[in-house]
Amino acid sequence: MSSNGKPTPQPPAASAAGNGAGAGGPPKMYQRPIYRPQQAAAKRRRGGRSCPFSCCCCFFWTVLVILLLAFLAAVVGGAFYLLYRPHRPAFTLTVARVTKLSLSSSATAPALSDAIDVTLTAKNPNKKLVYLYDDFTVTAATAANAVPLGEATVPGFTADAGNITVIKATVSASALTVDPTAAASDIKKSGEFPITLDLETKAGVRVGGLKTKKIGIQVHCDGVKVAAPAAPAAKKKKLGKAAAADAPAPAAAVDEAAAPPAAATTVARVCEVRIRVKIWKWTF
């Protein structure tokens, strides 16, 4: 002890020795806590339980929202149907007459020239809906092997509620190259042969002041039978100028010989109206 009665502080070595370490013993070292992998795995398991739970919640809410939207759409559609009673437009083919038909006799690439007059009626059977049509593209082909017979364009129009519109067009082709085998079997220069008629357009609906987006529609008419126009009968040779001047020609006989028989006409052929929906590159 010091002279003033206070204890004298010991040096670090003595302090360490006093704590139980001998003079020749090693000093105590810091020991890190032992890593226990069981605790880490338990933490990961406890923390990972929230991810599947959140995914299930997201999936549940997504399905619930989709079901609610589908339910609302069904309710709106049902109310619209009960209120307006919508019906598809009705198209009827009334006339299909071939006025020109010429097919070259080439064995490799025959050329077709023809003209077909068609008349259709478009009826809007709705009482409150108005149909808005774009321009129509009219095409014709043989029913057996789909040999093209030409096309035409008809201007669009507005079909008011309960309105009936008459559509007239001349489907024609000029020197159109066709398949020789299919054309020879499908197109007859005498007698009837069946064809199909298609009209492509886009149509929308107007209800009061609201207009829907236009979608593609196809009017398909099948079971149409036409015949090539008959060639005019050859005129009889005159026996002589004097005899022809003196003897009056029978008017009835001349008229019957010069008048060709009428071409085939289709009456009241109901056509099928198809909705054409385009998804990316495909049209259904």
Side-chain angles (χ1 to χ4, degrees):
M1 296 181 64
S2 61
S3 60
N4 55 4
K6 293 183 179 181
T8 303
Q10 298 179 355
S15 176
N19 288 336
K28 289 185 178 181
M29 304 297 292
Y30 172 76
Q31 295 182 354
R32 299 178 61 183
I34 300 175
Y35 176 73
R36 300 181 182 278
Q38 294 83 0
Q39 296 179 358
K43 291 181 179 180
R44 286 197 299 267
R45 287 195 298 269
R46 288 194 299 270
R49 290 177 183 174
S50 60
C51 182
F53 181 74
S54 61
C55 293
C56 292
C57 289
C58 292
F59 178 76
F60 172 77
W61 285 110
T62 302
V63 173
L64 183 61
V65 170
I66 292 175
L67 291 177
L68 288 176
L69 292 176
F71 176 75
L72 291 177
V75 171
V76 173
F80 180 83
Y81 178 80
L82 293 176
L83 184 61
Y84 294 102
R85 299 284 181 175
H87 296 280
R88 290 188 180 186
F91 288 80
T92 303
L93 178 65
T94 57
V95 174
R97 180 182 293 108
V98 179
T99 59
K100 175 184 177 182
L101 182 62
S102 174
L103 182 63
S104 65
S105 58
S106 174
T108 57
L112 174 67
S113 297
D114 67 330
I116 306 174
D117 292 338
V118 295
T119 302
L120 300 95
T121 57
K123 181 180 179 180
N124 182 2
N126 298 283
K127 297 181 179 180
K128 299 180 181 180
L129 304 182
V130 178
Y131 285 115
L132 309 173
Y133 295 102
D134 287 347
D135 293 347
F136 289 80
T137 300
V138 188
T139 57
T142 60
N145 295 300
V147 177
L149 299 174
E151 64 179 16
T153 302
V154 177
F157 58 90
T158 299
D160 294 329
N163 185 39
I164 298 178
T165 304
V166 178
I167 303 173
K168 293 185 177 182
T170 300
V171 180
S172 61
S174 178
L176 179 63
T177 303
V178 295
D179 180 73
T181 304
S185 62
D186 290 359
I187 301 175
K188 298 180 180 180
K189 295 184 179 180
S190 62
E192 296 182 348
F193 58 94
I195 67 171
T196 59
L197 191 72
D198 291 319
L199 289 81
E200 297 275 354
T201 185
K202 287 186 176 182
V205 178
R206 186 178 67 196
V207 184
L210 301 178
K211 294 182 181 179
T212 64
K213 184 179 179 181
K214 292 184 177 180
I215 61 174
I217 65 170
Q218 180 191 51
V219 181
H220 179 72
C221 309
D222 57 1
V224 184
K225 292 184 178 181
V226 296
K235 294 182 179 180
K236 296 181 179 180
K237 295 183 179 180
K238 296 181 180 180
L239 298 177
K241 295 182 179 181
D246 295 339
V254 172
D255 293 340
E256 291 177 359
T265 301
T266 299
V267 180
R269 173 65 63 178
V270 178
C271 303
E272 180 184 1
V273 180
R274 304 171 178 173
I275 297 177
R276 307 282 284 178
V277 180
K278 186 174 183 181
I279 301 177
W280 194 28
K281 296 181 180 180
W282 297 276
T283 303
F284 302 92

